[in-house]
Amino acid sequence: MHRARTADKAAKLRLDEINRIKARLNVAGLTLLAIDRDYGLPRGTAGNTLQQANLAGERAIAAALKTRPHLLWRSRYHPSGERRTPQPPENYQRPPNMEKRRLESSGNREAA
């Protein structure tokens, strides 16, 4: 029984992307709720944007970080800066939370 390596790799890349953006927000002293408030977004939009594709949230976070969205979300944009249309389905799936990752890793240890 083999794990789906491509799914694992895609999930890891998305988690890395999210963590990289969170780190940049932290260094800049920004919070996701402040971005929502400053850019007139409904509460929680910026936070959800980290997990799922949302054009308004992507633009607000990029503007707050003084950069462009395609430099933050490589999975959602072409290298030229053009947004992928339609978005790949994995951009609308939440990455596994810590509990789920622990269960998966303990299941892998038991199988070995």
Side-chain angles (χ1 to χ4, degrees):
M1 188 159 136
H2 298 282
R3 292 185 327 173
R5 291 183 188 264
T6 54
D8 291 345
K9 185 176 180 182
K12 184 184 179 325
L13 289 174
R14 290 189 62 228
L15 285 172
D16 290 346
E17 189 175 71
I18 291 167
N19 289 332
R20 185 174 26 83
I21 294 167
K22 283 182 178 179
R24 288 185 67 173
L25 290 168
N26 191 24
V27 167
L30 298 169
T31 65
L32 295 169
L33 287 175
I35 292 172
D36 287 339
R37 196 173 37 250
D38 294 346
Y39 290 89
L41 299 172
R43 186 179 175 142
T45 300
N48 288 338
T49 300
L50 291 178
Q51 305 288 333
Q52 298 177 341
N54 180 308
L55 184 59
E58 292 166 11
R59 288 180 177 169
I61 292 171
L65 291 172
K66 296 176 177 60
T67 187
R68 298 190 178 245
H70 74 276
L71 300 174
L72 294 175
W73 286 279
R74 296 179 189 127
S75 64
R76 300 177 189 180
Y77 289 84
H78 294 289
S80 65
E82 184 181 347
R83 196 159 195 269
R84 295 183 190 271
T85 305
Q87 285 288 305
E90 58 270 7
N91 285 348
Y92 293 101
Q93 297 170 355
R94 290 186 170 271
N97 60 21
M98 183 61 81
E99 182 180 351
K100 197 172 193 179
R101 291 193 307 253
R102 281 187 193 131
L103 289 173
E104 288 174 357
S105 66
S106 67
N108 291 337
R109 281 187 228 138
E110 290 172 7

